[in-house]
Amino acid sequence: MNKQRWFPGDPRQVGSDPDYRFTLANERTFLAWIRTSLALAAGGLGAVTILDDFPGEEFLGIGLLALSFATAATAYRRWALNERAMRLDEPLPPSKLPATMAVGVALVAVAAAVFFVIDTL
Amino acid sequence: MARQDRPSQVFDAGLQQERTALAWERTAIASMVAGVLLARYSAQELHVAVAAIGILQVVLGAVLLIWTGMHYDDLHGPLRSGESPVHPLAARVVGLATVCFSGLALIVAFAIALR
């Protein structure tokens, strides 16, 4: 099934052009996810660079970089499937990414707090 | 593509096109920041040659920034004549470049952690 592919093709193959404002809104959402991924990468690289001799430095950095990779890996697919759904006048496909990202970032934050307590003891 | 004249009145309610162009610019700047961080980290901890990945991301961000400005101008005409502004190639290039960057940053961090 076309929708299950990781790298969907050109969405213009199906349906008809939606209102251009929806296309631009979808593009901005895609770019917001890309920036989220880049910010998580910057945070992860910042953690491993700045937090020298802090316990769990690598754990925090690699955790944030893994979240960054997950976000980047799904961004294009989400953009293409949303565009496709708009062209076919279908509901937008659901996504588990926002929930995954919330839980993932919360886990990293809790881990950072625990490491901070260990460090001060 | 011939450059279109800038519109003399607002044809785009809510300035959707301008907001989208600004989102592209923010993304390009974020790419450059992340690239600088990776270049510095890998040059410091691994080898100067690994910093090339980060430098490449900075160059990509700069190219994207220039493209965004040109694309913003070029899109006025097509938008006013009712064409769709959809741009799968741009989404593909930026999506894949970010996946590569993020994956390579993860590999670099692993390599340094496992030393």
Side-chain angles (χ1 to χ4, degrees), chain B residues 49-66:
Chain B
V50 189
I53 308 165
I55 303 288
L56 192 69
Q57 180 77 354
V58 176
V59 172
L60 208 81
V63 170
L64 193 61
L65 200 53
I66 295 166

Side-chain angles (χ1 to χ4, degrees), chain B residues 33-91:
Chain B
V33 171
V36 167
L37 284 173
L38 180 62
R40 180 171 179 245
Y41 176 55
S42 44
Q44 209 167 275
E45 304 280 337
L46 272 184
H47 193 271
V48 185
V50 189
I53 308 165
I55 303 288
L56 192 69
Q57 180 77 354
V58 176
V59 172
L60 208 81
V63 170
L64 193 61
L65 200 53
I66 295 166
W67 176 81
T68 300
M70 285 161 49
H71 186 60
Y72 174 72
D73 271 348
D74 288 345
L75 213 53
H76 285 312
L79 272 182
R80 271 181 293 174
S81 62
E83 281 171 43
S84 173
V86 68
H87 204 312
L89 181 64

